[in-house]
Amino acid sequence: MRSSKLYRTLAACVGVAVAGVVAAAIPVSSALAQSAYPSKPIRLIVPFPPGGGTDMIARAVAQKVAEQNRWNVVVENRPGAGGNLGVDAAARATPDGYTIVMGQTSNLAINPTLYPKLPYKPLVDLAPVALVSSSPIVMVAPASSPFKSFADVVAAAKKAPDAITLGFSGNGTVAHLAGELAEDAAGIKLRHVPYKGAGQAMTDVMGGQVDLYMSSIPTLLSHVRNGNMRAIVITSAKRSHQLPDTPTLAESGYKDLDAISWFGILAPAGTPAPIVQKLNLAINEALKQPDVAERLRSEGGDVLGGSPEQFSQLLKTEIVRWGRIVKNSGASLD
């Protein structure tokens, strides 16, 4: 799939934009009430278990937003159903700015097509606040694995179809579909092992219970660095600055394959515009801070930021793009 449009859209968000001007037609009483926001803790829902890439990114941003603004931001993990449970909880929350969610490609752009009965509609039930970061997907193997390149995986899989195991966290995630794309391009078949979260998967990969695993770089980088896992290939159009020796799928001979995870914060639809803008400014300011930016980059991510409108446009584009990929894969979940 072509990557240029996606990277142009994401690139427009890098450098952190200043939020727009609030519309003037807000009643004075409402504006006064919102000027006191927040007057109680803000709940940031993470729709995945603790310890994964989404959780790490959410906590880094939440801590800095709280520190800079003297707000109380509480991270709440609400895993389940590929992120649907947590996102749905946010979509159904009172639109007052006290419940927000860290969404990402899977639960916002993939799941609307993957789940025929998805309980929320991202473009209807949620208000984009700010993009936070993006990260490629990386395929890893245990340190003891004979696989040292994607070519090794392809050769072994062609000799023994459906024998090599490929793990990922949840059906229909970016990692799952990136694996499907790589298999289709290489003409191989791997045996899929979906996990409910990163914790057990990491144990199984390091113990050799699964041959290969795919996830975002923030989830796997520390394990690669400490030698417990070997990075085989990444799915972005360019190499990662944190894994400079790991080739891309394109470099491995499979051009136009580009699959990344992006992460962003959203509020329930109907959240007053002044509150969305206040949150947007706070998040963008947090992303500007060297310690936060370095934390995200050190984990293999690229810092984004930008306006709610930029996030909204990216979301519309990605729902169409990933919807096409899901349909082509034939994947569907109840």
Side-chain angles (χ1 to χ4, degrees), residues 26-90:
I26 299 174
V28 173
S29 59
S30 174
L32 288 174
Q34 291 159 14
S35 67
Y37 171 87
S39 59
K40 61 181 182 180
I42 299 170
R43 179 176 58 148
L44 172 56
I45 295 176
V46 175
F48 295 100
T54 307
D55 183 68
M56 181 281 294
I57 293 166
R59 291 181 186 275
V61 173
Q63 180 179 351
K64 184 57 66 173
V65 167
E67 176 187 307
Q68 287 195 306
N69 298 278
R70 297 184 179 180
W71 296 352
N72 186 357
V73 183
V74 180
V75 175
E76 177 183 320
N77 295 90
R78 293 282 296 270
N84 294 347
L85 294 183
V87 176
D88 187 47

Side-chain angles (χ1 to χ4, degrees), residues 109-132:
I110 292 174
N111 288 1
T113 304
L114 184 69
Y115 289 83
K117 298 179 181 179
L118 193 69
Y120 58 88
K121 297 179 179 180
L123 295 176
V124 175
D125 300 325
L126 294 163
V129 175
L131 281 162
V132 173

Side-chain angles (χ1 to χ4, degrees), residues 14-282:
V14 178
V16 185
V18 177
V21 178
V22 176
I26 299 174
V28 173
S29 59
S30 174
L32 288 174
Q34 291 159 14
S35 67
Y37 171 87
S39 59
K40 61 181 182 180
I42 299 170
R43 179 176 58 148
L44 172 56
I45 295 176
V46 175
F48 295 100
T54 307
D55 183 68
M56 181 281 294
I57 293 166
R59 291 181 186 275
V61 173
Q63 180 179 351
K64 184 57 66 173
V65 167
E67 176 187 307
Q68 287 195 306
N69 298 278
R70 297 184 179 180
W71 296 352
N72 186 357
V73 183
V74 180
V75 175
E76 177 183 320
N77 295 90
R78 293 282 296 270
N84 294 347
L85 294 183
V87 176
D88 187 47
R92 294 175 180 273
T94 302
D96 56 7
Y98 291 101
T99 299
I100 54 179
V101 63
M102 178 65 79
Q104 41 98 289
T105 312
S106 292
N107 47 53
L108 296 176
I110 292 174
N111 288 1
T113 304
L114 184 69
Y115 289 83
K117 298 179 181 179
L118 193 69
Y120 58 88
K121 297 179 179 180
L123 295 176
V124 175
D125 300 325
L126 294 163
V129 175
L131 281 162
V132 173
S133 69
S134 65
S135 173
I137 303 299
V138 59
M139 176 184 285
V140 298
S144 59
S145 171
F147 302 137
K148 292 181 171 57
S149 68
F150 190 60
D152 292 340
V153 174
V154 172
K158 287 188 174 180
K159 289 181 180 178
D162 206 32
I164 298 170
T165 52
L166 172 65
F168 44 81
S169 185
N171 284 314
T173 58
V174 178
H176 173 201
L177 293 177
E180 292 267 13
L181 289 171
E183 288 177 65
D184 288 346
I188 59 175
K189 180 62 177 175
L190 305 175
R191 181 154 51 91
H192 292 177
V193 183
Y195 286 84
K196 292 183 178 180
Q200 185 59 49
M202 298 302 95
T203 301
D204 287 357
V205 175
M206 289 184 286
Q209 279 77 41
V210 63
D211 299 312
L212 302 165
Y213 187 76
M214 294 187 77
S215 187
S216 62
I217 288 181
T219 301
L220 299 172
L221 186 59
S222 64
H223 299 290
V224 173
R225 283 176 169 167
N226 65 24
N228 290 326
M229 300 178 188
R230 178 185 301 128
I232 302 295
V233 70
I234 63 171
T235 63
S236 58
K238 59 182 181 179
R239 292 197 182 199
S240 166
H241 54 277
Q242 292 299 333
L243 293 173
D245 296 327
T246 305
T248 66
L249 280 170
E251 290 175 312
S252 302
Y254 306 96
K255 297 186 182 301
D256 295 330
L257 280 178
D258 176 29
I260 65 172
S261 273
W262 44 258
F263 307 83
I265 292 176
L266 306 93
T271 300
I275 290 178
V276 171
Q277 296 289 3
K278 196 167 188 176
L279 285 166
N280 176 272
L281 280 172

